[in-house]
Each structure stands twice: as structure tokens, then as C-alpha cells.
Amino acid sequence: MNPNSSPHPLAAHLPFNRESLAGQFLPAKNGDPPADQRGTWLLVQENALLVFETDGEGGWRLPHGPLPEGFDGKVTPIIHLGTYQGAPCWAAAVPAGARIPPGFQRESLLPAQTRLTDTVLSLGGLALQAIHWETTSLHCPRCGAKTSHIPGEWGKRCPECAYEHYPHLHPAVIVLVREGDRVLLTRKSFWAKGRYGLIAGFVDVGESLEGAVQREVQEEVGVEIRDLQYVASQYWPFPSQLMVGFTAVYSHGVLQVNRHELEDACWFSVHNLPDLPPRLSIARFLIDHFAVPR
């Protein structure tokens, strides 16, 4: 589907969604990688990308060419992601705590902290997910045998019991609840001081997306909603979520904060909003584009 034909064309281009790369990236799905490991390198250490310093004022660039000096034999796994701007693109995991070679700097992949461009952030998210999948799918979940790649796919196959499995994406819902010129925002205790966001949660087994939204709202704040509308989705590689965004209208009920899940929840005027999630998130997209009724 052409994202420009969507009612919300900007949504497809949220960072971490592959569409945001505007066709510059083509996935390999772990087919046969090039024998010569040259190209663009996404060196991931925990939730950070290691990039070349280019000047003394915070400039940086992605490594390009062979695996940069200082990393040989120290990174695993190395994964052929595909092609970026026509050249091979590689992801490699740098062990936590490993010393970074001179000339490199760490740049966070976390949206609230990142200084990376949206394009590089999206590439880094793909690298995070590929590394997570590779390191958590080494053995068959059914019999424990070592798995092998399915040619042309991201999936793995067990040579012993023939079980196949694919990258595990965990669906979660997130919803902007409105009432007139007010929006219902929530706060978790571990968020930045004063920051409020949206009601969100994972989809339960056997549950529809719509049912998950209704349940999460009831569980977290005790109210009922109506006019539930799907808006957009965002891939979220921390480590492997698919955030499905909705808007809804308050129906009835008294606000009751679930203190087991939230520190606070309250109504805010759209003209006086608190500190909000980073602009790169679907939570911020929903607030920025749909807080004011159209």
C-alpha cells in the first residue's frame, strides 16, 4: 500500500518503521550473504550504536567498508541485514562493557536520548531486532536442537523435528482517550520527572486489538470508552514490539488510578499539556495529531 494514500500518511514514516527509509533499504532476510563483508556497519552495544567521530562538535558517521579495525574477532553475531543505498548493510553485536576502539563514540538508540537522524535510528532499530532474534533463536523451542536459517527468510528450522519459527513480534496497544478539549494521560514511576504518556499494554492470548484497548483502559484507570478508532502502528525494537495506536472518546465512569501499574493518571487540557513522550514515538504522534478533535 502506498503510504501517501493512507488517511494518515505520516504514520508509516515514523522512525523504526521500515517505510521510513523510503526504499533506501532492502532486507536480505538472512539469505546467502556476500562472501566479502564490506558495506555499511551498524555496530550495536546494548541500546547504543557505535559510530565514527568526525569532528570535536558531536559530528559522526556510520562506518563503511570492511569491519572496522579493533572489532575483528570481538563482535558476534554478524548479520547481513540487506542493502542500504545499494551497498551491503551489516549488523554486529559488541559485547556489553567491551572497550570501544579509539575514534568511535556511543550514540543512544533510545528515542528520548538519541541524537541520531531518523534514518540512522531506523537502521539501528533493524539491527537491534535482527541481533535479538539471532541470539534468542539458536535452539529449537520444541526439542532444543540447534536451528538453521531458512533460505530467503528470517525464520529458523530445526533439523531434528522440522519445527519452523520466525521473529517473535509482540503486539501492544496504545490509546489516546479524549473528552472535549481534554485528554487522559498517565504516568509511570520510572519515567522522566513530570512526564506523562498514554495508556498502553500488551495484547493477551486470544484477545482482539479492540478488546485489549478496552481492557487496558478499564484496568489502568477504571473508565469506559467509546468510538474506538485505529490510527497507525509503529515497530518498536526494545526488543520486539509492534505498537498499534488508537483514539477513543471517554464514555463514563470515575477515574480510578491502578497504583500497581501507574504512579498517576489525570485529565489535561490540550492547551496546557505536561512533558510528553519523545517526538519519535507513536504516543507523541497520537497526541500531536489527534489530541484536538477534528
Side-chain angles (χ1 to χ4, degrees), residues 217-218 220-224 250-257 267:
V217 172
Q218 178 58 224
E220 292 195 2
V221 295
V223 302
E224 300 293 336
Y250 167 78
S251 176
H252 62 275
V254 178
L255 189 65
Q256 296 178 323
V257 181
W267 292 98

PDB file of all heavy atoms in Angstrom, residues 217-218 220-224 250-257 267:
ATOM      1  N   VAL A 217      -7.677   0.152  29.342  1.00  0.00           N
ATOM      2  CA  VAL A 217      -8.257   1.388  29.883  1.00  0.00           C
ATOM      3  C   VAL A 217      -8.983   1.087  31.193  1.00  0.00           C
ATOM      4  O   VAL A 217      -8.822   1.797  32.190  1.00  0.00           O
ATOM      5  CB  VAL A 217      -9.210   2.048  28.868  1.00  0.00           C
ATOM      6  CG1 VAL A 217      -9.953   3.226  29.503  1.00  0.00           C
ATOM      7  CG2 VAL A 217      -8.439   2.513  27.636  1.00  0.00           C
ATOM      8  N   GLN A 218      -9.756   0.022  31.209  1.00  0.00           N
ATOM      9  CA  GLN A 218     -10.502  -0.345  32.415  1.00  0.00           C
ATOM     10  C   GLN A 218      -9.541  -0.721  33.540  1.00  0.00           C
ATOM     11  O   GLN A 218      -9.718  -0.298  34.692  1.00  0.00           O
ATOM     12  CB  GLN A 218     -11.445  -1.495  32.105  1.00  0.00           C
ATOM     13  CG  GLN A 218     -12.244  -2.015  33.273  1.00  0.00           C
ATOM     14  CD  GLN A 218     -13.113  -0.951  33.930  1.00  0.00           C
ATOM     15  OE1 GLN A 218     -13.163  -0.857  35.150  1.00  0.00           O
ATOM     16  NE2 GLN A 218     -13.803  -0.139  33.127  1.00  0.00           N
ATOM     17  N   GLU A 220      -6.322   0.146  33.991  1.00  0.00           N
ATOM     18  CA  GLU A 220      -5.401   1.181  34.456  1.00  0.00           C
ATOM     19  C   GLU A 220      -6.101   2.378  35.081  1.00  0.00           C
ATOM     20  O   GLU A 220      -5.583   2.959  36.048  1.00  0.00           O
ATOM     21  CB  GLU A 220      -4.502   1.644  33.305  1.00  0.00           C
ATOM     22  CG  GLU A 220      -3.527   0.563  32.839  1.00  0.00           C
ATOM     23  CD  GLU A 220      -2.416   1.112  31.967  1.00  0.00           C
ATOM     24  OE1 GLU A 220      -2.371   2.351  31.736  1.00  0.00           O
ATOM     25  OE2 GLU A 220      -1.577   0.310  31.513  1.00  0.00           O
ATOM     26  N   VAL A 221      -7.271   2.757  34.524  1.00  0.00           N
ATOM     27  CA  VAL A 221      -7.907   3.986  35.027  1.00  0.00           C
ATOM     28  C   VAL A 221      -9.385   3.821  35.368  1.00  0.00           C
ATOM     29  O   VAL A 221     -10.016   4.766  35.834  1.00  0.00           O
ATOM     30  CB  VAL A 221      -7.725   5.149  34.030  1.00  0.00           C
ATOM     31  CG1 VAL A 221      -6.252   5.509  33.905  1.00  0.00           C
ATOM     32  CG2 VAL A 221      -8.308   4.807  32.667  1.00  0.00           C
ATOM     33  N   GLY A 222      -9.971   2.640  35.121  1.00  0.00           N
ATOM     34  CA  GLY A 222     -11.321   2.349  35.585  1.00  0.00           C
ATOM     35  C   GLY A 222     -12.463   3.009  34.856  1.00  0.00           C
ATOM     36  O   GLY A 222     -13.591   3.026  35.361  1.00  0.00           O
ATOM     37  N   VAL A 223     -12.238   3.545  33.658  1.00  0.00           N
ATOM     38  CA  VAL A 223     -13.332   4.186  32.928  1.00  0.00           C
ATOM     39  C   VAL A 223     -13.667   3.394  31.671  1.00  0.00           C
ATOM     40  O   VAL A 223     -12.913   2.510  31.240  1.00  0.00           O
ATOM     41  CB  VAL A 223     -12.976   5.644  32.552  1.00  0.00           C
ATOM     42  CG1 VAL A 223     -12.658   6.461  33.801  1.00  0.00           C
ATOM     43  CG2 VAL A 223     -11.823   5.709  31.553  1.00  0.00           C
ATOM     44  N   GLU A 224     -14.802   3.732  31.068  1.00  0.00           N
ATOM     45  CA  GLU A 224     -15.243   3.107  29.827  1.00  0.00           C
ATOM     46  C   GLU A 224     -15.049   4.083  28.673  1.00  0.00           C
ATOM     47  O   GLU A 224     -15.137   5.313  28.856  1.00  0.00           O
ATOM     48  CB  GLU A 224     -16.713   2.691  29.924  1.00  0.00           C
ATOM     49  CG  GLU A 224     -17.014   1.696  31.029  1.00  0.00           C
ATOM     50  CD  GLU A 224     -16.385   0.334  30.797  1.00  0.00           C
ATOM     51  OE1 GLU A 224     -16.120   0.004  29.616  1.00  0.00           O
ATOM     52  OE2 GLU A 224     -16.147  -0.385  31.788  1.00  0.00           O
ATOM     53  N   TYR A 250     -13.997   9.268  25.810  1.00  0.00           N
ATOM     54  CA  TYR A 250     -14.483   8.890  27.147  1.00  0.00           C
ATOM     55  C   TYR A 250     -15.997   8.684  27.102  1.00  0.00           C
ATOM     56  O   TYR A 250     -16.737   9.492  26.541  1.00  0.00           O
ATOM     57  CB  TYR A 250     -14.116   9.980  28.148  1.00  0.00           C
ATOM     58  CG  TYR A 250     -14.819   9.866  29.482  1.00  0.00           C
ATOM     59  CD1 TYR A 250     -14.396   8.952  30.436  1.00  0.00           C
ATOM     60  CD2 TYR A 250     -15.938  10.665  29.763  1.00  0.00           C
ATOM     61  CE1 TYR A 250     -15.049   8.846  31.659  1.00  0.00           C
ATOM     62  CE2 TYR A 250     -16.585  10.569  30.976  1.00  0.00           C
ATOM     63  CZ  TYR A 250     -16.141   9.651  31.927  1.00  0.00           C
ATOM     64  OH  TYR A 250     -16.796   9.544  33.129  1.00  0.00           O
ATOM     65  N   SER A 251     -16.463   7.597  27.704  1.00  0.00           N
ATOM     66  CA  SER A 251     -17.892   7.305  27.761  1.00  0.00           C
ATOM     67  C   SER A 251     -18.461   7.594  29.147  1.00  0.00           C
ATOM     68  O   SER A 251     -19.284   8.482  29.315  1.00  0.00           O
ATOM     69  CB  SER A 251     -18.151   5.840  27.382  1.00  0.00           C
ATOM     70  OG  SER A 251     -19.510   5.510  27.526  1.00  0.00           O
ATOM     71  N   HIS A 252     -18.000   6.852  30.161  1.00  0.00           N
ATOM     72  CA  HIS A 252     -18.491   7.072  31.516  1.00  0.00           C
ATOM     73  C   HIS A 252     -17.561   6.388  32.516  1.00  0.00           C
ATOM     74  O   HIS A 252     -16.669   5.637  32.132  1.00  0.00           O
ATOM     75  CB  HIS A 252     -19.924   6.543  31.674  1.00  0.00           C
ATOM     76  CG  HIS A 252     -20.046   5.058  31.447  1.00  0.00           C
ATOM     77  ND1 HIS A 252     -20.192   4.495  30.191  1.00  0.00           N
ATOM     78  CD2 HIS A 252     -20.016   4.017  32.320  1.00  0.00           C
ATOM     79  CE1 HIS A 252     -20.260   3.180  30.302  1.00  0.00           C
ATOM     80  NE2 HIS A 252     -20.156   2.859  31.583  1.00  0.00           N
ATOM     81  N   GLY A 253     -17.805   6.650  33.785  1.00  0.00           N
ATOM     82  CA  GLY A 253     -17.008   6.042  34.842  1.00  0.00           C
ATOM     83  C   GLY A 253     -16.168   7.072  35.577  1.00  0.00           C
ATOM     84  O   GLY A 253     -15.880   8.159  35.060  1.00  0.00           O
ATOM     85  N   VAL A 254     -15.798   6.724  36.796  1.00  0.00           N
ATOM     86  CA  VAL A 254     -14.970   7.597  37.637  1.00  0.00           C
ATOM     87  C   VAL A 254     -13.511   7.177  37.513  1.00  0.00           C
ATOM     88  O   VAL A 254     -13.189   5.983  37.590  1.00  0.00           O
ATOM     89  CB  VAL A 254     -15.424   7.515  39.110  1.00  0.00           C
ATOM     90  CG1 VAL A 254     -14.524   8.383  39.995  1.00  0.00           C
ATOM     91  CG2 VAL A 254     -16.885   7.934  39.246  1.00  0.00           C
ATOM     92  N   LEU A 255     -12.639   8.144  37.319  1.00  0.00           N
ATOM     93  CA  LEU A 255     -11.213   7.863  37.180  1.00  0.00           C
ATOM     94  C   LEU A 255     -10.668   7.243  38.465  1.00  0.00           C
ATOM     95  O   LEU A 255     -10.770   7.824  39.550  1.00  0.00           O
ATOM     96  CB  LEU A 255     -10.464   9.159  36.867  1.00  0.00           C
ATOM     97  CG  LEU A 255      -8.994   9.028  36.487  1.00  0.00           C
ATOM     98  CD1 LEU A 255      -8.843   8.281  35.164  1.00  0.00           C
ATOM     99  CD2 LEU A 255      -8.353  10.404  36.384  1.00  0.00           C
ATOM    100  N   GLN A 256     -10.107   6.036  38.335  1.00  0.00           N
ATOM    101  CA  GLN A 256      -9.511   5.333  39.471  1.00  0.00           C
ATOM    102  C   GLN A 256      -8.149   4.805  39.029  1.00  0.00           C
ATOM    103  O   GLN A 256      -8.066   3.900  38.205  1.00  0.00           O
ATOM    104  CB  GLN A 256     -10.403   4.169  39.925  1.00  0.00           C
ATOM    105  CG  GLN A 256     -11.758   4.614  40.462  1.00  0.00           C
ATOM    106  CD  GLN A 256     -12.620   3.428  40.844  1.00  0.00           C
ATOM    107  OE1 GLN A 256     -12.601   2.387  40.177  1.00  0.00           O
ATOM    108  NE2 GLN A 256     -13.384   3.589  41.916  1.00  0.00           N
ATOM    109  N   VAL A 257      -7.084   5.366  39.587  1.00  0.00           N
ATOM    110  CA  VAL A 257      -5.726   5.023  39.163  1.00  0.00           C
ATOM    111  C   VAL A 257      -5.313   3.685  39.758  1.00  0.00           C
ATOM    112  O   VAL A 257      -5.378   3.482  40.973  1.00  0.00           O
ATOM    113  CB  VAL A 257      -4.730   6.117  39.597  1.00  0.00           C
ATOM    114  CG1 VAL A 257      -3.322   5.763  39.124  1.00  0.00           C
ATOM    115  CG2 VAL A 257      -5.158   7.476  39.044  1.00  0.00           C
ATOM    116  N   TRP A 267      -6.730  14.065  33.788  1.00  0.00           N
ATOM    117  CA  TRP A 267      -7.137  14.765  32.583  1.00  0.00           C
ATOM    118  C   TRP A 267      -6.320  16.045  32.445  1.00  0.00           C
ATOM    119  O   TRP A 267      -6.098  16.762  33.418  1.00  0.00           O
ATOM    120  CB  TRP A 267      -8.622  15.108  32.639  1.00  0.00           C
ATOM    121  CG  TRP A 267      -9.525  13.924  32.565  1.00  0.00           C
ATOM    122  CD1 TRP A 267     -10.125  13.286  33.602  1.00  0.00           C
ATOM    123  CD2 TRP A 267      -9.932  13.252  31.377  1.00  0.00           C
ATOM    124  NE1 TRP A 267     -10.880  12.237  33.144  1.00  0.00           N
ATOM    125  CE2 TRP A 267     -10.792  12.196  31.782  1.00  0.00           C
ATOM    126  CE3 TRP A 267      -9.669  13.428  30.014  1.00  0.00           C
ATOM    127  CZ2 TRP A 267     -11.382  11.327  30.864  1.00  0.00           C
ATOM    128  CZ3 TRP A 267     -10.262  12.567  29.103  1.00  0.00           C
ATOM    129  CH2 TRP A 267     -11.100  11.531  29.528  1.00  0.00           C
TER     130      TRP A 267
END
